[in-house]
Amino acid sequence: MNRKHHEPLIHLVKRVEASQKLAWSVRIAAFLISFFLCAVISSIMSGRGLDFFFSNFFKGVFGTERLIWNLFHDTAIMLLIALAVTPCFKMKFWNIGGEGQILMGALGCSVIVNSMAGSYPHASVIVLSLILSLAFGVAWAVIPAIFKAKWNTNETLLTLMMNYIAVCLVDYFIKKVASSGTGILNFSNKVGLIGPVGNEFILKIVVAVVVTLIMGIYLKYTKHGYELTVVGESVNTARYIGINTKKVIIRTLVLCGVLCGLIGFLLVSATDYGLNSDSTVGGKGFTGVLISWLGHFNPLGIALGSFVYSFFFRGATRVGTIGRLGGSFPDVLCGVFLFVLIASEFFINYQIKFRNGDKIREYFAPVVNAFAKLKKRPAVVAASENNSTESDGGEKDLQESIKDEILSEEVTAESVSEEAPKEVSDSAEEEEK
Amino acid sequence: MIATILKEAIHLGMVFLYGATGETIIEKSGHLNLGIPGIMCFGAMGGCFGANLAANANAGAFAVILSAIFFAMLAAGGMGLLYGIFTISLRCNQNVTGLVITTFGSGVLGYWSSKMGSEGITFYQSSLYFTKPMFGNVGSDWFSTIFLSHGTLVYVAIIIAVITALILRRTRTGLSLVAVGENPAAADAAGINVIKYKYISSIIGAAIAGVGGAFYYLDCTRGSIEPGVIEAMGWLAVALVIFSLWRPGIGIFGSIIFGLLYILPNYVTGIGFAEKEIMKIIPYAVTALVLIIISFFNKKETQPPASLGLPYFREER
């Protein structure tokens, strides 16, 4: 039979080592594409022009000093949440229970504040509420870890269920102690809370920076970090080199629980001054999972990701408010934004090869070369062949950068088109001379 | 009294049954779709749109229901296709993609419902076609109250669940699908087109789950859209899949139990509001318990599909 028939039209090749330049250009392109997509969507929805989106978006993010503080504050909270779940993901323990673990931390803090504030010294209430927050957070994280380690219980589903148990427990607690029935527990007198330190934002920003540094060191330079990475890569390898995988799983989830408890504590004691099962965490536990994944489980990447996400979310919220598009509109835009960013990861990790790639490239070669000619540079394809020795250093760099670009677009192996493009390139050279 | 409670339980439970049947089909292909709540939101929008479209054209009851199902399936199936493209072709992480779909779906539903509200469009008139008992006015004895007094979509849910159960257990297609979820590499080697099965199951599964969203707003709430509720119900549907041990047949009874647990706090008297909140834990707690117990006994028949949540790329096996 004809061999070509068995070759699929498209096949994907994993890039052995994705170049940083390519990865970042894809990411930046994805960011710009999603940004413009959202601009178009909101201008259609609101019936106003594109400039409406852009002016309000940036006003909403950078308009006043307070808004800029808010941006960094949101980034810090998002960063903390994403960092908390990162060690689990690095270990391929799919903990999507960040939401519940943070909520339990918040509950722990509220329990102490509610029962002790006022009647005991301020400092002791804060210390005790921090301890109970951490304990609750750890409990909620370590239960799925124990079952995973012992009986290989599916951790994704178990942590998902525990999220909702946490929500119900918080609702129960609120209904129990606040008879008003609004579903919100309020500590607005701030007795027994940390309250604003400096300007109410700075504490969490400092904590986030410290945790980022510690997490970066923990994951990269400590034995613990190494062990959990090995468990994530392959459980069998880990066993073979003598890592106690059960211990590693439980230990990592304790760390996650401690961080989640801390976040819950900060949210109640230093941010919201209250507790509500709906808005205290408000889905950020799930978003943290996305950010952590988009940041490739690397603390610096996650920091960038949380900044970009908070930037986007705050701008979208402003556009939604001013354009009277309703409270859910930012979620719509963020959904679009995240879709594009997630899809872009594919183009970083994989090359697309077409069955008739050679033919297609031959077909487009004149266009590519004409384009190169337009830029008054020697054509790209032949560059590596003959004029690399002749051209000076600066031009060579340029050529290589163009080559990279075109390679990334066309995804070629170099083997193609020796003859036709060479001629064009020669003529281009002559013209330049 | 008991008959009324059971009737309500069956009625509401069908929302979970639609979601769980759809999710079971998807999970059988090895994909854990956490986007079910978002997909149900899309189904709800499509269903309401389709119902109003046909009702405004003065089509008959049958056409209204059919149009609602069609558009619900179209909208939800579209999201299923998107999920498939992301997780199967673009090889993104399944959990991440699912969570984005959930965020996106509930956001779009919230936006859409506020827009509909501001334009004064309601679905009450269309919902009359759905709340009308399928068998007309039957007697008020317990049997007819429990089993015969429901709208059409309740029976459709049960029929879909039974057909799905039969297909999964008794047909070649179903067995191939199970094989894909258990061991995609072996299935591939046996000549099953793994990619095709994964795509089709994620589209069909999403479409069925989407009808659940439409059913909830067109029948259970009589056309009033309260965003947020369907998201919580979507998570319960994901829970029901585990509770029913990945079998739509058991899912029928499981959904009624879930429905009962969901509405029970409204009927129990003599306890405070706080205790009612505690009762809402039961479905989640029971599901978590089931999950732990099946992993503890580790019996082959009751396990999740072996490659659930794991990506399958032919080149990397």
Side-chain angles (χ1 to χ4, degrees):
Chain A
M1 292 293 283
N2 190 350
R3 201 180 137 269
K4 274 211 162 169
H5 265 294
H6 294 287
E7 199 181 333
L9 177 64
I10 294 170
H11 73 267
L12 304 169
V13 180
K14 192 158 190 171
R15 291 185 207 275
V16 181
E17 210 167 281
S19 82
Q20 284 299 308
K21 203 171 19 174
L22 171 75
W24 283 105
S25 46
V26 170
R27 276 183 204 130
I28 291 169
F31 176 76
L32 293 177
I33 289 171
S34 58
F35 201 67
F36 279 97
L37 205 59
C38 289
V40 170
I41 290 172
S42 30
S43 63
I44 292 171
M45 297 291 188
S46 64
R48 307 198 206 183
L50 278 175
D51 55 329
F52 160 75
F53 176 84
F54 288 110
S55 64
N56 280 304
F57 192 97
F58 289 107
K59 241 187 242 165
V61 184
F62 301 118
T64 62
E65 199 187 323
R66 195 181 160 76
L67 284 174
I68 296 176
W69 274 111
N70 261 316
L71 171 67
F72 281 102
H73 172 258
D74 283 9
T75 306
I77 296 286
M78 202 69 245
L79 174 58
L80 280 172
I81 296 174
L83 283 177
V85 291
T86 295
C88 315
F89 291 136
K90 209 153 183 180
M91 202 174 61
K92 295 225 168 71
F93 182 100
W94 296 107
N95 172 20
I96 54 170
E99 185 96 5
Q101 287 144 20
I102 296 166
L103 209 49
M104 286 309 281
L107 178 63
C109 178
S110 306
V111 167
I112 293 288
V113 172
N114 185 64
S115 57
M116 294 178 68
S119 42
Y120 291 88
H122 191 70
S124 68
V125 175
I126 290 181
V127 171
L128 270 179
S129 58
L130 176 61
I131 290 172
L132 199 66
S133 289
L134 298 187
F136 274 27
V138 168
W140 233 238
V142 93
I143 291 171
I146 290 171
F147 286 117
K148 172 79 177 176
K150 275 214 145 55
W151 299 316
N152 201 21
T153 310
N154 188 322
E155 75 279 10
T156 317
L157 300 170
L158 189 55
T159 49
L160 186 68
M161 292 306 113
M162 291 184 66
N163 278 343
Y164 288 90
I165 297 176
V167 169
C168 294
L169 283 178
V170 168
D171 277 336
Y172 168 72
F173 174 71
I174 292 172
K175 287 261 164 66
K176 196 82 190 162
V177 299
S179 45
S180 61
T182 50
I184 299 170
L185 199 60
N186 223 327
F187 304 127
S188 47
N189 56 3
K190 293 177 194 148
V191 178
L193 303 180
I194 295 180
V197 179
N199 68 353
E200 82 181 276
F201 301 119
I202 207 145
L203 173 69
K204 283 146 279 174
I205 297 174
V206 171
V207 171
V209 171
V210 171
V211 171
T212 312
L213 290 177
I214 293 174
M215 189 57 84
I217 294 168
Y218 180 82
L219 288 176
K220 200 159 183 197
Y221 297 110
T222 65
K223 193 179 162 204
H224 285 192
Y226 172 72
E227 284 180 345
L228 71 89
T229 312
V230 175
V231 173
E233 294 284 330
S234 156
V235 178
N236 287 335
T237 311
R239 273 200 206 113
Y240 185 66
I241 61 175
I243 293 173
N244 184 347
T245 52
K246 290 178 184 176
K247 201 175 109 192
V248 172
I249 290 176
I250 292 172
R251 184 178 67 202
T252 308
L253 264 284
V254 168
L255 174 72
C256 167
V258 165
L259 279 175
C260 285
L262 177 70
I263 298 163
F265 169 75
L266 287 174
L267 283 176
V268 171
S269 192
T271 311
D272 289 351
Y273 316 124
L275 178 68
N276 176 3
S277 63
D278 239 11
S279 66
T280 297
V281 190
K284 290 199 215 72
F286 292 123
T287 316
V289 175
L290 310 176
I291 305 277
S292 174
W293 189 79
L294 281 174
H296 290 244
F297 313 135
N298 170 357
L300 286 179
I302 295 167
L304 182 68
S306 1
F307 178 76
V308 170
Y309 178 81
S310 307
F311 162 80
F312 196 83
F313 191 79
R314 295 196 68 80
T317 309
R318 170 81 168 199
V319 170
T321 318
I322 302 284
R324 301 224 174 117
L325 293 162
S328 305
F329 191 68
D331 286 337
V332 178
L333 289 193
C334 278
V336 174
F337 176 70
L338 289 170
F339 271 132
V340 177
L341 280 192
I342 287 174
S344 77
E345 289 296 309
F346 169 78
F347 295 99
I348 295 172
N349 292 326
Y350 292 93
Q351 280 186 331
I352 305 170
K353 289 195 173 174
F354 291 95
R355 183 208 293 159
N356 297 328
D358 296 357
K359 274 187 198 162
I360 294 171
R361 232 170 295 117
E362 257 171 60
Y363 189 75
F364 281 108
V367 181
V368 173
N369 287 304
F371 196 65
K373 206 168 166 184
L374 207 71
K375 283 187 177 170
K376 298 229 164 156
R377 281 181 202 133
V380 178
V381 190
S384 58
E385 285 281 314
N386 47 0
N387 28 343
S388 57
T389 45
E390 292 164 24
S391 56
D392 59 37
E395 202 182 339
K396 197 168 151 192
D397 281 354
L398 264 177
Q399 280 170 8
E400 266 169 15
S401 72
I402 312 166
K403 202 172 104 192
D404 271 3
E405 273 172 36
I406 290 182
L407 279 180
S408 67
E409 280 167 24
E410 289 255 301
V411 204
T412 64
E414 237 119 303
S415 62
V416 238
S417 53
E418 307 285 53
E419 287 106 43
K422 210 192 224 167
E423 284 171 25
V424 186
S425 75
D426 286 342
S427 66
E429 246 175 299
E430 277 166 28
E431 266 183 34
E432 211 174 54
K433 280 168 194 166
Chain B
M1 181 66 184
I2 290 173
T4 324
I5 294 178
L6 271 179
K7 181 198 159 192
E8 286 298 311
I10 292 175
H11 191 194
L12 199 69
M14 291 308 118
V15 181
F16 307 128
L17 184 59
Y18 275 115
T21 309
E23 176 74 3
T24 304
I25 295 175
I26 302 173
E27 287 192 13
K28 279 289 178 192
S29 76
H31 280 241
L32 180 62
N33 189 346
L34 294 180
I36 282 292
I39 286 170
M40 287 172 87
C41 290
F42 269 93
M45 280 182 279
C48 291
F49 170 79
N52 256 19
L53 194 73
N56 290 343
N58 282 328
F62 183 69
V64 173
I65 290 169
L66 211 61
S67 150
I69 292 179
F70 174 75
F71 280 99
M73 285 191 155
L74 197 68
M79 291 316 280
L81 177 65
L82 193 69
Y83 175 83
I85 290 173
F86 271 80
T87 54
I88 303 165
S89 292
L90 297 186
R91 304 175 179 196
C92 295
N93 182 291
Q94 296 176 12
N95 298 333
V96 170
T97 311
L99 290 177
V100 176
I101 288 183
T102 295
T103 313
F104 184 61
S106 56
V108 172
L109 180 71
Y111 170 72
W112 180 78
S113 69
S114 69
K115 198 173 164 65
M116 288 293 128
S118 67
E119 285 176 11
I121 297 175
T122 59
F123 300 100
Y124 178 69
Q125 285 300 325
S126 318
S127 79
L128 293 178
Y129 291 100
F130 295 87
T131 46
K132 192 169 143 261
M134 190 183 175
F135 300 112
N137 278 331
V138 287
S140 57
D141 57 306
W142 64 270
F143 183 81
S144 351
T145 311
I146 296 176
F147 295 110
L148 300 175
S149 62
H150 298 287
T152 317
L153 285 183
V154 170
Y155 303 105
V156 173
I158 292 172
I159 292 168
I160 289 179
V162 170
I163 292 176
T164 307
L166 287 178
I167 288 179
L168 285 178
R169 295 294 288 248
R170 300 263 177 260
T171 67
R172 197 184 179 86
T173 320
L175 292 177
S176 303
L177 180 63
V178 173
V180 168
E182 294 294 337
N183 190 342
D188 206 354
I192 297 169
N193 190 339
V194 174
I195 305 286
K196 193 173 100 186
Y197 268 91
K198 278 175 181 265
Y199 260 110
I200 291 177
S201 74
S202 78
I203 293 171
I204 292 180
I208 292 173
V211 180
F215 168 74
Y216 179 68
Y217 286 127
L218 285 170
D219 194 335
C220 297
T221 68
R222 293 169 189 272
S224 75
I225 311 285
E226 336 146 357
V229 182
I230 196 70
E231 204 189 330
M233 297 194 121
W235 291 122
L236 271 171
V238 176
L240 178 58
V241 177
I242 307 158
F243 184 84
S244 67
L245 307 174
W246 290 267
R247 281 185 209 163
I250 300 179
I252 297 173
F253 301 101
S255 69
I256 296 169
I257 294 172
F258 270 42
L260 193 64
L261 293 172
Y262 198 87
I263 59 160
L264 209 53
N266 304 335
Y267 287 95
V268 175
T269 49
I271 58 170
F273 285 112
E275 282 72 21
K276 287 188 176 175
E277 294 297 334
I278 280 291
M279 288 184 74
K280 286 185 190 161
I281 291 184
I282 298 171
Y284 302 110
V286 169
T287 307
L289 214 60
V290 168
L291 197 61
I292 292 166
I293 289 169
I294 59 175
S295 67
F296 176 70
F297 285 109
N298 204 7
K299 261 171 70 180
K300 234 179 195 169
E301 295 79 33
T302 56
Q303 289 306 299
S307 78
L308 182 64
L310 305 176
Y312 171 68
F313 308 129
R314 212 181 211 185
E315 301 88 340
E316 287 170 14
R317 69 186 169 193

